Amino acid sequence: MEIRLGQLEHPAVIALLTQHHQEMLRHSPPESVHALDLSALAAPDITFLSSWHQQELAGCGALKQLNPWHGEIKSMRTANKFLRTGVAQTLLKHIIAEAESRGYQRLSLETGTLAAFAPAQKLYQAFGFDYCPPFADYQEDPYSTFMTKELTPNSQ
């Protein structure tokens, strides 16, 4: 599996992100969906990553800088064909390592509360994320749950 920086213009990435957004809208009202569109993922404070198996897109994820000490995971999604094959774990390990290499002390995320989001919550818990109150600009929402992890920043 190869993790590539960017690739937002790739048709497979566009299709996966479109599917991701549509899936979020199936489980949450529009005002509770915090998935970013392509232009937002291209912002300078976001590092977008795509995971490839040979020439096939396996998944994606992004790291957003909230401030010099705190990052946020965005747009984590595994392509249906690659579910339960380790793609999400590989991407998450990469994002955590990148956050630590930047000197972040904390890495947080927002995900849904319904049963469809239970596998994501279980994955994050397995990597040491704990539930927390809303962070950054998020507000309490019955469709959102928040998780965070203390990091050990790498010496630079």
Side-chain angles (χ1 to χ4, degrees):
M1 188 156 328
E2 177 188 2
I3 296 179
R4 300 178 189 167
L5 185 62
Q7 305 287 309
L8 279 168
E9 69 289 342
H10 194 286
V13 171
I14 294 168
L16 183 60
L17 289 170
T18 299
Q19 176 191 7
H20 176 62
H21 195 262
Q22 290 170 344
E23 187 71 14
M24 298 303 99
L25 288 170
R26 280 188 49 221
H27 298 288
S28 303
E31 66 273 9
S32 297
V33 173
H34 303 287
L36 300 177
D37 64 18
L38 289 170
S39 63
L41 287 168
D45 62 341
I46 295 181
T47 302
F48 182 80
L49 303 164
S50 53
S51 176
W52 298 82
H53 177 71
Q54 298 171 4
Q55 296 304 313
E56 213 171 343
L57 179 64
C60 64
L63 176 59
K64 178 179 182 179
Q65 180 173 317
L66 298 175
N67 63 48
W69 307 277
H70 191 184
E72 179 183 4
I73 297 172
K74 298 295 293 182
S75 300
M76 282 283 292
R77 183 67 181 206
T78 301
N80 289 342
K81 177 179 178 179
F82 293 95
L83 289 172
R84 290 172 278 294
T85 63
V87 171
Q89 293 91 337
T90 300
L91 275 166
L92 187 54
K93 284 178 192 174
H94 190 90
I95 289 170
I96 292 169
E98 178 64 23
E100 289 175 334
S101 75
R102 293 179 182 189
Y104 293 171
Q105 297 170 7
R106 177 178 296 278
L107 187 57
S108 302
L109 61 99
E110 178 275 339
T111 191
T113 57
L114 300 180
F117 299 97
Q121 291 178 26
K122 185 177 177 181
L123 169 70
Y124 295 126
Q125 286 179 305
F127 276 80
F129 285 81
D130 294 311
Y131 292 96
C132 67
F135 59 93
D137 295 330
Y138 291 107
Q139 302 295 317
E140 287 288 344
D141 182 332
Y143 292 94
S144 291
T145 192
F146 307 94
M147 302 179 84
T148 196
K149 176 183 175 69
E150 296 288 329
L151 300 178
T152 306
N154 294 341
S155 300
Q156 305 227 4

